[in-house]
């Protein structure tokens, strides 16, 4: 905090400026938020995933309202839960949360961001809603010890150190653990990167696009999945019905399907590719639903998950094939390195109005 305060004062002196306002993230406990509130200027707080989309819009000099696909690890949601796999209707003045991935309980605080097996256990238990069946699957997948699984489930049941989450980054970590690629990470994004590399290895072995399409179509027939759930018609539970969301990507069922397919003996790299393929389909389906309701034909892709070049390619090409204009990052980082631009753009618009 002290270093941040000193940096701000030095820049003010060096540039000989007096700020009109200070802008920061919505999270109340970030150091940047604490410092922002102590500077003595008007404070503007911008939701994390909205800032991602604004940064993409600004980089592409986009003036029209967009459908924002904001996928990353963690951001403080408007409802106090963890967001991270979001479909937003956004412009420079405001945003609406239109859709998200299937919510799950993120258990264990910071440990859950490093240990994907915890996410996998939580997702499978949340989907199966049967302790004995979930324990059997967890043991067969060798995700963790029986004791660790029981502790995770007990914490889920009692909501101990557990918060609802739609983190796309943690979704990747969970699938990576289920496939036995990485059960834990030694640095941010390690498990997700390993999952991407496995999928890319499969693609490289099957470079013929028609062959890939045929294989994925066969997988689709074997494991039928709805791409997108109408939230009004979905089962009314805390796990799969976040408030004020019209569409839920069917990622919970996808995770369970991946687990079942692995236990049935399917190839790990093939399942890693299948996960990317279906997730891209679900994103595209959610954007189509958003376009139908909002009339917007431009999609902006942002957030750290879109450092994944395979997913980025699949979503970008898929959206363009459906007639969308697609905005993506080429100069500004898609991860949190681009957040400040989005925050600044919002502040400039607010000050002008």
């Amino acid at each position: 905090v002290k270093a941040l305060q000193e940096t701000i004062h030095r820049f003010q002196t060096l540039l000989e400026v007096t700020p009109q306002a200070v802008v920061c993230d919505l999270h109340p406990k970030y150091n940047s938020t604490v410092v922002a509130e102590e500077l003595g200027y008007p404070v503007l707080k911008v939701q994390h995933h909205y800032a991602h989309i604004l940064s993409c819009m600004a980089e592409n000099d986009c003036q029209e309202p967009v459908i924002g696909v904001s996928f990353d690890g963690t951001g403080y949601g408007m409802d106090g839960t963890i967001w991270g796999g979001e479909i937003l209707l956004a412009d420079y003045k405001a945003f609406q949360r239109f859709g998200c991935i299937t919510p799950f309980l993120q258990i264990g605080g910071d440990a859950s961001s490093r240990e994907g097996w915890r996410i996998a256990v939580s997702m499978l238990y949340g989907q199966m809603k049967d302790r004995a069946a979930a324990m059997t699957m967890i043991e067969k997948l060798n995700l963790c010890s029986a004791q660790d699984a029981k502790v995770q489930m007990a914490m889920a049941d009692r909501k101990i150190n557990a918060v609802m989450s739609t983190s796309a980054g943690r979704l990747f970590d969970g699938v990576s653990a289920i496939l036995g690629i990485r059960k834990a990470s030694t640095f941010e994004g390690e498990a997700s990167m390993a999952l991407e590399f496995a999928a890319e290895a499969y693609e490289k072995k099957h470079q013929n696009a028609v062959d890939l399409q045929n294989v994925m179509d066969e997988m689709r027939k074997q494991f039928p999945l709805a791409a997108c759930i109408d939230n009004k018609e979905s089962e009314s539970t805390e796990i799969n019905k976040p408030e004020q969301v019209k569409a839920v990507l069917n990622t919970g069922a996808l995770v369970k399907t991946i687990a079942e397919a692995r236990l049935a003996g399917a190839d790990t790299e093939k399942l890693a590719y299948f996960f990317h393929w279906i997730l891209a389909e679900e994103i595209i389906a959610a954007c189509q639903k958003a376009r139908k309701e909002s009339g917007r034909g431009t999609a902006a892709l942002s957030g750290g998950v879109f450092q994944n070049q395979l997913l980025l390619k699949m979503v970008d090409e898929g959206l363009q094939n459906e007639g969308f204009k697609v905005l993506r990052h080429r100069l500004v980082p898609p991860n949190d390195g681009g957040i400040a631009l989005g925050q600044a753009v919002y502040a400039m618009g607010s000050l002008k109005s």
Side-chain angles (χ1 to χ4, degrees), residues 236-313:
S236 182
T237 69
E238 183 185 7
I239 294 296
N240 67 9
K241 194 170 183 181
E243 292 299 317
Q244 299 176 333
V245 170
K246 295 183 178 179
V248 179
L249 279 68
N250 205 13
T251 50
L254 174 58
V255 167
K256 183 170 175 283
T257 295
I258 293 287
E260 291 169 345
R262 188 185 177 218
L263 292 179
D267 177 71
T268 296
E269 290 181 349
K270 183 179 182 180
L271 287 176
Y273 189 82
F274 181 67
F275 168 72
H276 283 75
W277 183 280
I278 299 299
L279 181 58
E281 280 191 358
E282 293 184 356
I283 291 170
I284 293 162
C287 287
Q288 288 175 305
K289 184 175 176 63
R291 177 172 62 182
K292 186 176 180 180
E293 292 209 14
S294 69
R296 304 179 186 197
T298 300
L301 312 180
S302 192
V305 167
F306 283 111
Q307 290 176 297
N308 181 318
Q309 293 300 300
L310 178 60
L311 183 69
L312 176 64
K313 177 183 72 174

Side-chain angles (χ1 to χ4, degrees), residues 4-309:
L4 182 56
Q5 290 171 330
E6 289 178 355
T7 301
I8 292 168
H9 292 310
R10 283 174 182 166
F11 269 110
Q12 284 183 246
T13 302
L14 179 66
L15 300 174
E16 297 180 349
V17 295
T18 301
Q20 292 177 261
V22 58
V23 60
C24 64
D25 194 88
L26 191 65
H27 199 299
K29 294 186 179 179
Y30 277 178
N31 286 339
S32 55
T33 305
V34 173
V35 171
E37 292 173 338
E38 293 176 348
L39 290 174
Y41 301 108
V43 177
L44 295 169
K45 295 183 178 181
V46 186
Q47 201 281 325
H48 188 90
H49 301 95
Y50 178 40
H52 271 306
I53 299 306
L54 289 176
S55 72
C56 187
M57 291 173 66
E59 178 182 344
N60 288 276
D61 193 25
C62 172
Q63 299 303 316
E64 70 264 25
V66 303
I67 299 166
V69 183
S70 192
F71 273 44
D72 67 359
T74 298
Y76 191 79
M78 301 294 287
D79 55 2
T81 66
I82 296 173
W83 289 8
E86 311 304 316
I87 308 295
L88 308 178
L89 299 179
D91 56 33
Y92 288 114
K93 293 182 180 179
F95 79 95
Q96 174 191 344
R97 189 189 193 199
F98 182 85
C100 63
I101 68 170
T102 308
F104 58 91
L105 277 174
Q106 193 165 324
I107 304 164
D110 290 342
S112 63
S113 65
R114 298 188 300 271
E115 299 176 334
W117 66 265
R118 295 177 184 267
I119 302 296
V121 169
S122 177
M123 285 181 167
L124 291 173
Y125 183 40
Q127 282 295 302
M128 300 176 80
K129 299 179 178 66
D130 181 312
R131 183 180 283 244
M135 278 296 297
T136 299
M137 178 171 279
I138 290 162
E139 287 176 2
K140 287 181 178 178
L141 290 168
N142 195 27
L143 283 171
C144 60
S145 69
Q147 182 60 32
D148 283 340
K150 288 176 183 176
V151 169
Q152 288 294 114
M153 291 180 188
M155 291 174 72
D157 290 340
R158 298 170 188 172
K159 303 296 189 293
I160 298 171
N161 196 16
V163 62
M164 292 307 299
S165 173
T166 54
S167 168
R170 301 295 78 80
L171 168 66
F172 273 76
D173 292 347
V175 172
S176 187
I178 286 169
L179 292 180
I181 295 171
R182 288 286 189 285
K183 293 179 187 176
S185 299
T186 57
F187 60 86
E188 175 70 26
E190 180 182 7
S192 299
M193 289 167 61
L195 180 63
E196 177 191 356
F197 297 157
E200 288 174 337
Y202 182 80
E203 183 182 52
K204 192 173 182 180
K205 293 173 185 175
H206 305 79
Q207 290 186 351
N208 187 302
V210 175
D211 291 344
L212 275 171
Q213 179 73 54
N214 290 338
V215 171
M216 290 300 106
D217 286 345
E218 284 300 314
M219 290 280 285
R220 261 309 210 158
K221 291 177 185 177
Q222 189 176 354
F223 304 107
L225 284 163
C228 206
I229 302 168
D230 185 337
N231 204 28
K232 296 174 184 176
E233 299 175 1
S234 66
E235 183 184 352
S236 182
T237 69
E238 183 185 7
I239 294 296
N240 67 9
K241 194 170 183 181
E243 292 299 317
Q244 299 176 333
V245 170
K246 295 183 178 179
V248 179
L249 279 68
N250 205 13
T251 50
L254 174 58
V255 167
K256 183 170 175 283
T257 295
I258 293 287
E260 291 169 345
R262 188 185 177 218
L263 292 179
D267 177 71
T268 296
E269 290 181 349
K270 183 179 182 180
L271 287 176
Y273 189 82
F274 181 67
F275 168 72
H276 283 75
W277 183 280
I278 299 299
L279 181 58
E281 280 191 358
E282 293 184 356
I283 291 170
I284 293 162
C287 287
Q288 288 175 305
K289 184 175 176 63
R291 177 172 62 182
K292 186 176 180 180
E293 292 209 14
S294 69
R296 304 179 186 197
T298 300
L301 312 180
S302 192
V305 167
F306 283 111
Q307 290 176 297
N308 181 318
Q309 293 300 300

